[in-house]
């Protein structure tokens, strides 16, 4: 069929397999709509024929693909073999060196430019990416904490956790308990305006962090606010204290919008009334130069959103395109001042991210801060406005129907166009990774399968009316390996759910760690029983739960089943569902007992949670993650997929078993948390544990060990 041939040329699936032995045909309407979003007219049989002829002719006449990929240490670093005889090649490296001829073995890692000229005068230019074969791996086994930063309030937070709290947590976990990393939720910039979307996985920009995470008192200029403004600052501090008390003492939900309102006014006062010193000014100007147009576009969007609202498609026509908007801003001093304000906030946030990373290193963390890359961006946000050519208009990322969701999913995130990425030498993707890796010991990639293919849903269609679009995984992984190598950072892929055959193997071959969650590790192809620890993979982060799953205490007690029934997410018989869940849990507990990880009779919740983590440590997993709420017995999930207003997703502070919020100070003083982390420390640092035990025996009676 001609439509199928045309779709295949553009990486658009006309059928897919949701499970082994099952093939589902994609409706023609979905294929036509997706091809249209890629700039290919397939609306009539004549248009399909013309588009296919054009694609085949372009393939025959092409000298070079838009992007070439070579892997050092694996591929032969040689030029393309199918060029016409006598073609001259010239390579300009990213440092500006020029190489002619066919000897590419001297090419360094990096992003270079290739120019080809044939004897008859035809010419072409391509981007050449030379990458390592693999991303860096960890030096040694490590355990770490997984936390949603907003949920971690200290006695100094302004209503939600901030980068000062992250710095304190990393220092405490590394120095006191030998933790090797702290993994946080995406800290991407959210869509401005209220009410905002509290989900950190639907941001305005993935390239820049959100200044709502700033610790205001840690901004150096804060200490130099003129005394004449102290009354105003004191009122803001009082508002911040009230926001904190509402959450910690009065049972209120975290209100990101209210927090930002107070922080924004404080930052306007600090930035507007205190001049930067010469050294700080020089540092800021360097930051502006390094971030370049990407930062200017983001700050321009922020300034325009303040005046016209966040939905850029509703802005005046001259503002809907970044370059014309830039001219408008330059002619408006008030707007230009707001652009500078938002640039300053990006710099201040970057500096505090750097300080958190440095604190983790100084605390001895083997990995450090693990940052998080969301799968996409909001269609009305900064990135979608600034990089319109890179996104597929009228499309949304989601997931096809599966055993857990018969209707499929639509996440409301516009996908990148694979053809636009290739044509740009993957510059949008390279720039994104470089920004995120600036202060990361590792990067977690949400829905890492999206490096291979994504489910595109046409606007106005149900998720069942979508199809898969394939990306050049070789190029995507090469860019990832190159940027991770430059940053010296690990990469962790969230590869849960339906994964295309061969994807996990290819990710492993490239050094990308996977994610293994205890309750999902069953022998699905055989007995269905829990997988014994020696059969787990080594290249993964092994954990008991994630932000989208029940905390371990809720899983062990069955509370998560009752919660989902109460909210209408389960429609079966409650008692039958609870019994089935209890049977599954009992299988795991029985395995823990047989392995000697859960002593007979030790059936209390704390002992069982400890056994869960002992089991994770008995697997070969190079990294073991502890969901921080598990350390204090929190029973409430941070996010309950399938709900919106029915459940307070992304707005809960960490709490104890009784649901009472715990400050960072109380959490780090919790005997329950200390018992769990002490065990993890001892099992990941056996030599140090024996030394510490020996030192403890030499402490004089009555002395307090440090």
């Amino acid at each position: 069929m001609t439509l199928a041939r045309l779709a295949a040329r553009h990486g658009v699936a006309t059928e897919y397999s949701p499970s082994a032995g099952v093939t589902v045909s994609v409706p023609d309407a979905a294929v036509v709509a997706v091809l249209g979003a890629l700039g290919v007219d397939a609306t009539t049989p004549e248009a399909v024929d013309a588009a296919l002829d054009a694609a085949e002719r372009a393939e025959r006449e092409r000298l070079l693909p838009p992007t070439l990929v070579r892997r050092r240490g694996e591929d032969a670093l040689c030029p393309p073999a199918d060029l016409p005889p006598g073609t001259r090649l010239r390579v300009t490296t990213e440092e500006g060196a020029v190489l002619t001829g066919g000897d590419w073995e001297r090419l360094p890692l990096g992003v270079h430019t290739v120019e080809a000229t044939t004897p008859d005068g035809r010419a072409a230019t391509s981007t050449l990416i030379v990458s390592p074969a693999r991303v860096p791996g960890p030096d040694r086994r490590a355990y770490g904490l997984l936390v949603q930063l907003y949920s971690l309030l200290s006695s100094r937070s302004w209503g939600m956790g901030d980068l000062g709290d992250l710095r304190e947590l990393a220092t405490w976990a590394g120095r006191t308990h030998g933790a090797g990393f702290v993994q946080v939720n995406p800290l991407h910039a959210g869509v401005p305006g209220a009410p905002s979307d509290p989900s950190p996985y639907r941001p305005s920009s993935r390239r820049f962090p959100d200044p709502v995470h700033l610790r205001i008192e840690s901004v150096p200029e804060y200490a130099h606010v003129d005394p004449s403004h102290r009354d105003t600052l004191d009122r803001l501090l009082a508002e911040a204290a009230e926001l904190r008390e509402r959450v910690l003492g009065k049972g209120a939900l975290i209100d990101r919008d209210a927090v930002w309102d107070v922080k924004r006014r404080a930052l306007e006062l600090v930035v507007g009334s205190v001049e930067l010193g010469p050294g700080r000014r020089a540092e800021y100007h360097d930051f502006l130069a390094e971030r370049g147009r990407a930062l200017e576009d983001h700050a321009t969007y922020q300034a325009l959103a303040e005046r016209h609202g966040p939905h850029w498609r509703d802005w005046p026509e001259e503002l809907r395109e970044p370059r014309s908007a830039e001219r408008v801003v330059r002619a408006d001093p008030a707007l230009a001042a707001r652009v500078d304000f938002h640039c300053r906030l990006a710099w201040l946030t970057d500096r505090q991210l750097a300080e958190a990373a440095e604190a983790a290193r100084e605390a001895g963390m083997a990995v450090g801060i693990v940052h998080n890359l969301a799968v996409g961006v909001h269609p009305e946000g900064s990135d979608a406005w600034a990089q319109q050519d890179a996104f597929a208009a009228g499309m949304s990322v989601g997931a096809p129907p599966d055993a857990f969701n018969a209707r499929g999913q639509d996440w409301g995130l516009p996908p990148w166009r694979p053809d636009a990425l290739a044509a740009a030498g993957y510059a949008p993707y390279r720039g994104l990774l470089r920004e995120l890796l600036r202060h990361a010991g590792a990067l977690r990639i949400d829905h890492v399968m999206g490096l291979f293919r994504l489910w595109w849903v046409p606007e106005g269609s149900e998720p069942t009316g979508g199809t898969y679009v394939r990306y050049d995984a070789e190029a995507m992984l090469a860019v990832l390996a190159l940027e991770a190598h430059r940053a010296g950072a690990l990469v962790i892929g969230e590869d849960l759910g339906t994964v295309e055959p061969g994807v996990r193997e290819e990710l492993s071959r490239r050094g990308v760690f996977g994610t293994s969650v205890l309750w999902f590790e069953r022998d699905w192809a055989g007995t269905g029983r829990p997988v014994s620890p020696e059969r787990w993979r080594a290249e993964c982060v092994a954990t008991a739960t994630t932000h989208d799953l029940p905390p371990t205490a809720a899983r062990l007690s069955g509370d998560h089943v009752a919660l989902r029934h109460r909210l209408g997410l389960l429609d079966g018989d409650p008692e039958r569902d609870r019994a089935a869940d209890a049977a599954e849990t009992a299988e795991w507990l029985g395995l823990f007992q047989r392995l000697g990880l859960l002593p007979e009779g030790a059936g209390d919740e704390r002992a069982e949670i400890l056994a869960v983590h002992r089991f994770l440590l008995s697997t070969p997993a190079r990294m073991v993650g502890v969901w921080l709420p598990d350390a204090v017995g929190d029973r409430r999930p941070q996010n309950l997929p399938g709900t919106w207003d029915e459940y307070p997703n992304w707005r809960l502070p960490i709490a104890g078993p009784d649901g009472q919020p715990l400050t960072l100070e109380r959490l780090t003083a919790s005997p329950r948390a200390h018992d769990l982390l002490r065990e993890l420390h001892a099992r990941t640092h056996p030599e140090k544990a024996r030394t510490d035990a020996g030192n403890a025996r030499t402490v004089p009676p009555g002395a307090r060990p440090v």
Side-chain angles (χ1 to χ4, degrees):
M1 184 179 179
T2 308
L3 179 61
R5 288 169 54 203
L6 179 64
R9 280 200 165 271
H10 294 279
V12 179
T14 54
E15 61 182 29
Y16 67 97
S17 298
S19 58
V22 177
T23 300
V24 176
S25 295
V26 175
D28 284 354
V31 176
V32 170
V34 169
L35 284 170
L38 292 169
V40 179
D41 182 5
T43 53
T44 66
E46 294 77 15
V48 170
D49 289 340
L52 185 58
D53 287 344
E56 291 175 344
R57 183 171 60 255
E59 179 71 21
R60 289 193 303 270
E61 296 175 354
R62 189 182 71 182
L63 275 181
L64 295 172
T67 299
L68 289 163
V69 172
R70 297 291 186 271
R71 287 191 172 89
R72 182 164 293 284
E74 180 175 293
D75 301 333
L77 291 186
C78 58
D82 54 354
L83 293 171
T87 298
R88 297 191 306 275
L89 288 175
R90 171 189 171 99
V91 179
T92 304
T93 71
E94 61 182 15
E95 295 86 7
V98 175
L99 175 69
T100 58
D103 182 13
W104 285 18
E105 287 296 335
R106 291 179 291 141
L107 284 173
L109 298 176
V111 181
H112 316 306
T113 301
V114 181
E115 298 167 275
T117 306
T118 64
D120 60 2
R122 286 190 298 150
T125 301
S126 177
T127 299
L128 170 62
I129 299 170
V130 180
S131 79
R134 294 171 56 86
V135 304
D139 293 332
R140 55 182 172 83
R141 195 180 199 201
Y143 91 91
L145 305 178
L146 318 178
V147 63
Q148 301 283 290
L149 181 57
Y150 61 82
S151 71
L152 184 70
L153 283 75
S154 70
S155 60
R156 295 176 59 191
S157 304
W158 286 27
M160 62 182 280
D162 60 35
L163 291 169
D165 298 320
L166 176 59
R167 187 175 63 246
E168 293 285 350
L169 178 69
T171 299
W172 169 78
R175 291 186 181 277
T176 305
H177 291 294
F181 62 92
V182 173
Q183 176 181 301
V184 295
N185 55 285
L187 303 183
H188 309 319
V191 177
S196 64
D197 186 341
S199 172
Y201 289 90
R202 201 164 182 249
S204 172
S205 174
R206 297 187 293 176
R207 296 183 294 173
F208 296 98
D210 199 313
V212 76
H213 301 110
L214 281 169
R215 169 67 62 84
I216 303 297
E217 297 93 328
S218 295
V219 174
E221 287 71 38
Y222 174 89
H224 302 291
V225 171
D226 190 271
S228 64
H229 297 298
R230 279 293 164 185
D231 286 346
T232 302
L233 201 53
D234 287 344
R235 286 194 296 272
L236 292 171
L237 287 170
E239 288 185 50
E242 174 59 23
L243 286 173
R244 180 173 59 245
E245 177 57 23
R246 284 183 201 169
V247 174
L248 295 175
K250 299 179 180 178
L253 299 175
I254 292 169
D255 187 341
R256 182 191 181 104
D257 295 337
V259 172
W260 175 236
D261 179 63
V262 179
K263 287 192 175 185
R264 176 186 52 77
R265 286 182 281 142
L267 288 163
E268 287 171 342
L269 177 62
V270 173
V271 171
S273 66
V274 182
E275 288 191 10
L276 295 173
R280 291 271 290 169
R281 188 183 306 113
E283 185 182 349
Y284 175 48
H285 287 165
D286 282 350
F287 179 80
L288 293 177
E290 290 167 1
R291 307 280 77 74
R293 175 160 283 176
L295 175 58
E296 185 177 347
D297 284 348
H298 175 64
T300 299
Y301 168 87
Q302 294 290 107
L304 292 172
E306 290 177 335
R307 181 175 291 188
H308 299 286
H311 302 292
W312 59 267
R313 288 179 177 84
D314 296 334
W315 291 353
E317 187 172 353
E318 68 272 16
L319 301 179
R320 296 176 198 165
E321 194 278 322
R323 301 288 70 81
S324 61
E326 185 179 3
R327 292 191 292 271
V328 173
V329 168
R330 285 176 178 169
D332 187 328
L335 269 177
R338 292 306 291 179
V339 170
D340 183 67
F341 174 71
H342 289 290
C343 286
R344 183 83 68 90
L345 300 194
W347 173 57
L348 294 175
T349 311
D350 180 83
R351 291 298 80 213
Q352 291 196 7
L353 285 166
E355 290 163 7
E358 181 62 24
R361 285 191 294 269
E362 291 180 351
M365 287 191 163
V367 177
I369 307 298
V370 181
H371 284 287
N372 216 314
L373 173 61
V375 70
V377 295
H378 196 287
E380 295 291 346
S382 165
D383 286 358
W385 174 75
Q387 299 178 316
Q388 294 173 43
D389 292 344
F391 290 98
M395 293 289 143
S396 176
V397 174
D402 56 30
F404 300 98
N405 194 323
R407 294 177 297 179
Q409 301 175 60
D410 183 345
W411 301 331
L413 309 169
W416 264 335
R417 287 181 55 161
D419 58 332
L421 288 178
Y426 291 84
Y429 178 49
R430 287 189 278 119
L432 169 61
L433 292 176
R434 193 165 298 182
E435 287 295 339
L436 284 170
L437 289 164
R438 278 171 59 81
H439 308 302
L443 179 66
R444 175 191 181 271
I445 300 179
D446 192 44
H447 194 71
V448 72
M449 298 82 79
L451 300 181
F452 295 77
R453 65 178 184 176
L454 281 172
W455 184 258
W456 287 22
V457 181
E459 188 176 295
S461 298
E462 293 295 319
T464 51
T467 188
Y468 278 113
V469 175
R470 191 159 295 284
Y471 292 76
D472 186 342
E474 182 182 14
M476 299 289 275
L477 288 170
V479 171
L480 179 62
L482 176 62
E483 296 302 332
H485 171 81
R486 286 171 157 165
L490 315 180
V491 178
I492 301 159
E494 185 271 301
D495 57 350
L496 304 174
T498 302
V499 183
E500 184 182 10
V503 165
R504 286 195 175 106
E505 292 77 8
E506 179 63 12
L507 290 171
S508 177
R509 195 160 71 94
R510 298 300 168 203
V512 178
F513 274 32
T515 302
S516 294
V517 177
L518 180 86
W519 312 102
F520 297 160
E521 292 295 317
R522 289 177 170 270
D523 182 13
W524 300 112
T527 65
R529 298 181 67 83
V531 173
S532 57
E534 70 276 4
R535 292 175 55 198
W536 283 46
R537 53 182 169 171
E539 291 79 21
C540 75
V541 176
T543 183
T545 190
T546 73
H547 58 269
D548 283 334
L549 296 171
T552 304
R555 176 79 68 171
L556 292 168
S557 66
D559 287 356
H560 71 111
V561 177
L563 174 62
R564 287 189 290 162
H565 267 291
R566 190 162 64 248
L567 296 175
L569 298 177
L570 296 176
D571 53 13
D573 178 77
E575 290 304 317
R576 188 183 306 114
D577 288 343
R578 181 116 187 194
D581 181 73
E584 290 184 7
T585 302
E587 283 187 312
W588 281 106
L589 295 176
L591 176 59
F592 300 159
Q593 288 183 335
R594 291 193 298 275
L595 294 173
L597 306 175
L598 179 64
E600 291 286 345
D604 65 283
E605 175 186 292
R606 291 176 62 172
E608 291 172 352
I609 290 177
L610 185 57
V612 164
H613 291 90
R614 284 172 174 162
F615 179 88
L616 295 175
L617 289 166
S618 70
T619 72
R622 300 290 306 282
M623 298 174 73
V624 173
V626 180
W627 179 239
L628 187 57
D630 278 353
V632 290
D634 197 345
R635 283 176 151 70
R636 306 162 310 164
Q638 283 293 315
N639 178 50
L640 199 57
T643 63
W644 182 249
D645 292 332
E646 305 94 329
Y647 187 80
N649 296 316
W650 317 113
R651 289 171 287 174
L652 292 171
I654 294 177
D658 57 0
Q660 293 300 308
L662 296 175
T663 62
L664 172 61
E665 292 83 1
R666 288 185 60 198
L667 187 152
T668 55
S670 163
R672 178 170 181 161
H674 275 278
D675 288 347
L676 176 61
L677 300 188
R678 187 182 300 117
E679 178 95 7
L680 288 154
H681 187 190
R683 288 173 179 257
T684 52
H685 299 75
E687 293 300 323
K688 188 174 189 307
R690 285 194 290 271
T691 301
D692 290 346
N695 292 339
R697 288 193 293 271
T698 66
V699 174
R704 183 178 180 182
V706 177

